[in-house]
Amino acid sequence: MSMKPLEHDRRYGELDQVMRAYLGQPADDTPERRSRALDAYLRHTWHTCPWAIAEAERQLREYSSNPPGRIRQRLGEFYGIPDTGIVESEIGDWLMMLADHLKKSIEEGDVPETSSPQTHWEWHARFPETAQLLGGWFSQDIVDEFPDHDAAVADYAATTDPHVVARLVGELHELLALPLDEGDYALAAADFGMEVGPPQPFSYGAWFQSVAATLARG
């Protein structure tokens, strides 16, 4: 019997966020230096829910000290560490090292410098509704589902709670306020899952502005 969602979150929820930050990123932390992935996790979490860092540290230590045995694995009542390139015999020590870095960040106020998102995980964590719109409504299938970009945006607005739409408008304004150029916007759109370009004659930045204005008008 697999673990229920509440039990999973209590035991592994923040550990899972840390592990997700490593997907597609090298797990090249050392005792003296954090990896790019852990910096991304800390940069975002310090900004949004700093109390979660202490919980992540606790869960990392707990998992490292008490990895799931055969019975829990057979029952499915455990969290499976994703493949981060760390050999199985070294995972426990690696998790403990990450916990040490989180503890140091809390105790010494060692926080990564503010910047634009640097990893796939960080883009999605910081702009979840933007990723939902661009990845869900602007895949390669758009030409089969909608006559144009405006129709896709209209469908999003019609099928999404107004409070969520308002959150997306705020995210787009925040995105546009970052020191990004057109190349950065294109890379961000790809990270969000957008598989088509903006409609002519818009650049990515101009189209993001247009979408925000359209959705704000309702």
Side-chain angles (χ1 to χ4, degrees):
M1 180 175 62
S2 60
M3 203 181 324
K4 293 182 179 179
L6 182 59
E7 181 66 14
H8 173 277
D9 287 348
R10 282 174 173 168
R11 294 167 64 178
Y12 308 119
E14 204 56 32
L15 162 65
D16 182 52
Q17 287 302 308
V18 176
M19 293 298 99
R20 287 176 182 273
Y22 279 88
L23 296 178
Q25 295 293 320
D28 56 358
D29 309 82
T30 69
E32 296 77 27
R33 182 186 60 80
R34 296 186 301 249
S35 65
R36 190 166 179 254
L38 193 59
D39 266 353
Y41 169 80
L42 281 170
R43 182 168 41 247
H44 176 72
T45 309
W46 267 113
H47 177 70
T48 56
C49 48
W51 57 87
I53 299 171
E55 179 62 16
E57 186 226 353
R58 184 194 67 78
Q59 292 182 7
L60 284 162
R61 293 193 192 282
E62 177 66 22
Y63 193 99
S64 177
S65 300
N66 300 285
R70 284 179 293 179
I71 293 178
R72 282 168 60 196
Q73 292 187 27
R74 190 180 307 126
L75 293 174
E77 298 180 348
F78 75 103
Y79 175 78
I81 297 292
D83 183 7
T84 58
I86 304 294
V87 297
E88 187 174 353
S89 61
E90 298 176 1
I91 286 178
D93 290 339
W94 176 62
L95 294 178
M96 197 65 76
M97 179 173 59
L98 300 189
D100 288 342
H101 278 304
L102 297 185
K103 180 181 180 182
K104 178 183 177 183
S105 181
I106 295 168
E107 292 183 341
E108 300 182 11
D110 184 7
V111 183
E113 290 185 8
T114 302
S115 74
S116 303
Q118 299 297 304
T119 69
H120 178 80
W121 175 87
E122 193 176 5
W123 279 112
H124 282 251
R126 186 165 172 179
F127 299 102
E129 291 307 321
T130 305
Q132 179 69 14
L133 170 66
L134 299 186
W137 272 262
F138 292 94
S139 69
Q140 291 179 349
D141 296 332
I142 182 177
V143 294
D144 298 323
E145 298 180 20
F146 305 106
D148 53 31
H149 288 62
D150 289 345
V153 171
D155 182 77
Y156 168 84
T159 58
T160 304
D161 185 278
H163 295 86
V164 178
V165 175
R167 191 174 303 127
L168 169 63
V169 172
E171 286 186 9
L172 288 172
H173 284 302
E174 181 182 352
L175 177 63
L176 291 165
L178 295 176
L180 303 176
D181 59 25
E182 272 305 306
D184 295 325
Y185 286 137
L187 291 174
D191 256 320
F192 289 138
M194 187 174 182
E195 296 178 332
V196 296
Q200 294 295 328
F202 291 99
S203 63
Y204 280 96
W207 184 63
F208 292 157
Q209 288 180 321
S210 174
V211 171
T214 297
L215 293 176
R217 289 194 301 267

